[in-house]
Amino acid sequence: VSFRELSMREDLRVDIRSTPRLEAAKGSGAYGRVRRNPGVVKIVQLAQNSTREGEGGAHLGNFGRWNFEGSGPAAPPAQPRLGELGAVVSMPGCADQAVHADCPHLFDHVDLPPHYVNCFTPGFDLGYSAGQTAVVAGSHLLGACRDMQADRSLLEAAVVRPHLRPGDALMFDCRALHFGTANRVEG
């Protein structure tokens, strides 16, 4: 395997980024279609700006948009900033990953719309036993996550284990608790 960045998450589970193929694909239409899929971009925009309509025009007080976007507070929501593509590889024999969140809340006294959204798509159809990502529903909210940490049965009851195939996508707020599931495929 040729790569520029490899990080071991846990035994037999690695992140791979900046491979020569990914770097070479950056100028291709396929890379752009994955990163700028209109449906995915729209979902992220709506999630990150979910309070605009329900707050009686509170967004009109965001006068700083003149300085940073030049569009003023009444303009439509800005395009989301997109990170790089990478891969999480769960090799046969890896166990369930520890429950974790990928980023903290910006403030620990108020729940805000997501500021970072993960989008996972399976590269192969090896079935659910090959290991996918499970998410703890509601854990992106401060109070719910606190309660789940105090009472593990609440956390376990909220685990959602989607069964994805190539072409499917799992998008979630990076503050949500989640974990990679074990890869039980025989070697």
Side-chain angles (χ1 to χ4, degrees), residues 136-139 143-152 154-155 158 177:
V136 182
S139 64
C145 189
R146 176 202 60 223
D147 295 346
M148 289 174 186
Q149 296 302 311
D151 182 350
R152 188 78 178 182
L154 294 174
L155 185 146
L177 299 177

Side-chain angles (χ1 to χ4, degrees), residues 20-68:
R21 280 189 178 170
L22 281 175
E23 293 297 317
K26 280 187 177 177
S28 75
Y31 188 87
R33 282 192 302 276
V34 170
R35 289 190 69 240
R36 285 249 172 237
N37 177 292
V40 171
V41 170
K42 184 67 174 177
I43 289 168
V44 172
Q45 263 187 318
L46 289 171
Q48 290 181 331
N49 295 282
S50 61
T51 59
R52 280 179 70 104
E53 300 305 319
E55 302 246 337
H59 66 281
L60 296 174
N62 190 359
F63 206 75
R65 289 189 71 192
W66 284 114
N67 292 338
F68 295 100

Side-chain angles (χ1 to χ4, degrees), residues 2-117:
S2 179
F3 55 86
R4 292 198 182 102
E5 181 181 329
L6 175 82
S7 89
M8 182 70 72
R9 288 177 166 247
E10 293 175 352
D11 289 346
L12 303 176
R13 188 182 313 272
V14 297
D15 281 356
I16 300 173
R17 292 191 181 91
S18 301
T19 68
R21 280 189 178 170
L22 281 175
E23 293 297 317
K26 280 187 177 177
S28 75
Y31 188 87
R33 282 192 302 276
V34 170
R35 289 190 69 240
R36 285 249 172 237
N37 177 292
V40 171
V41 170
K42 184 67 174 177
I43 289 168
V44 172
Q45 263 187 318
L46 289 171
Q48 290 181 331
N49 295 282
S50 61
T51 59
R52 280 179 70 104
E53 300 305 319
E55 302 246 337
H59 66 281
L60 296 174
N62 190 359
F63 206 75
R65 289 189 71 192
W66 284 114
N67 292 338
F68 295 100
E69 297 166 13
S71 56
Q79 287 289 314
R81 293 182 181 96
L82 305 175
E84 297 299 322
L85 295 177
V88 177
V89 179
S90 301
M91 294 177 262
C94 74
D96 278 350
Q97 191 177 26
V99 175
H100 65 281
D102 285 347
C103 68
H105 287 258
L106 294 176
F107 302 98
D108 59 8
H109 66 284
V110 63
D111 290 317
L112 297 171
H115 57 279
Y116 191 114
V117 177

